[in-house]
Amino acid sequence: MKKISISLMPKTGAGKWSVGLGIAFVVLMALSLLVAAAIGGDPTVTVGNPLFPILSVTLSLAGLLSFFVGIFTIIKHKEWSVCVYLAVLYGLAALMFVLGEFLFPH
């Protein structure tokens, strides 16, 4: 029987990418919340400003890539890292948000 060792940080390159994308997702989410608080919900600020769509797309891509790279790392490389599993959870939250936007448009 093979012994499984659980570590905090990933050992594979793909695991490190997943964790890095998860960290980027958290930082971009914090930046997005700060920008939303700074503009105070004023819709006239967002019209025609290219910063908001770019921030939204990079936030979504960082989360989705974190999820898919993390799942790939867990399945293929048998990565047992706490940080990779956290990155997959962040990515799963982003995936649920993106799926919700497409399945239930408002």
Side-chain angles (χ1 to χ4, degrees), residues 97 100-106:
F97 177 76
E101 287 291 323
F102 283 116
L103 294 176
F104 305 105
H106 46 87

Side-chain angles (χ1 to χ4, degrees), residues 35-48:
V35 168
I39 64 172
D42 186 13
T44 58
V45 175
T46 61
V47 175

Side-chain angles (χ1 to χ4, degrees), residues 2-3 5 14 18-19 28 37 49 54 64 72 74 77 82 88:
K2 186 176 180 181
K3 186 176 181 181
S5 74
S18 177
V19 171
L28 287 170
N49 192 342
I54 291 171
L64 292 175
F72 169 77
I74 291 169
H77 298 290
V82 174
V88 167

Side-chain angles (χ1 to χ4, degrees), residues 5-12 15-20 23 79-86:
S5 74
I6 299 174
S7 64
L8 182 65
M9 294 301 293
K11 293 177 177 40
T12 62
K16 291 175 185 176
W17 268 97
S18 177
V19 171
I23 291 170
E79 182 74 60
W80 284 89
S81 169
V82 174
C83 288
V84 171
Y85 283 99
L86 285 175

Side-chain angles (χ1 to χ4, degrees), residues 26-91:
V26 171
V27 168
L28 287 170
M29 181 64 77
L31 180 66
S32 175
L33 291 172
L34 285 173
V35 168
I39 64 172
D42 186 13
T44 58
V45 175
T46 61
V47 175
N49 192 342
L51 173 70
F52 298 106
I54 291 171
L55 182 62
S56 174
V57 168
T58 55
L59 176 66
S60 299
L61 280 177
L64 292 175
L65 287 173
S66 171
F67 175 75
F68 289 118
V69 172
I71 291 294
F72 169 77
T73 304
I74 291 169
I75 292 172
K76 182 155 195 279
H77 298 290
K78 310 285 191 275
E79 182 74 60
W80 284 89
S81 169
V82 174
C83 288
V84 171
Y85 283 99
L86 285 175
V88 167
L89 284 177
Y90 293 148

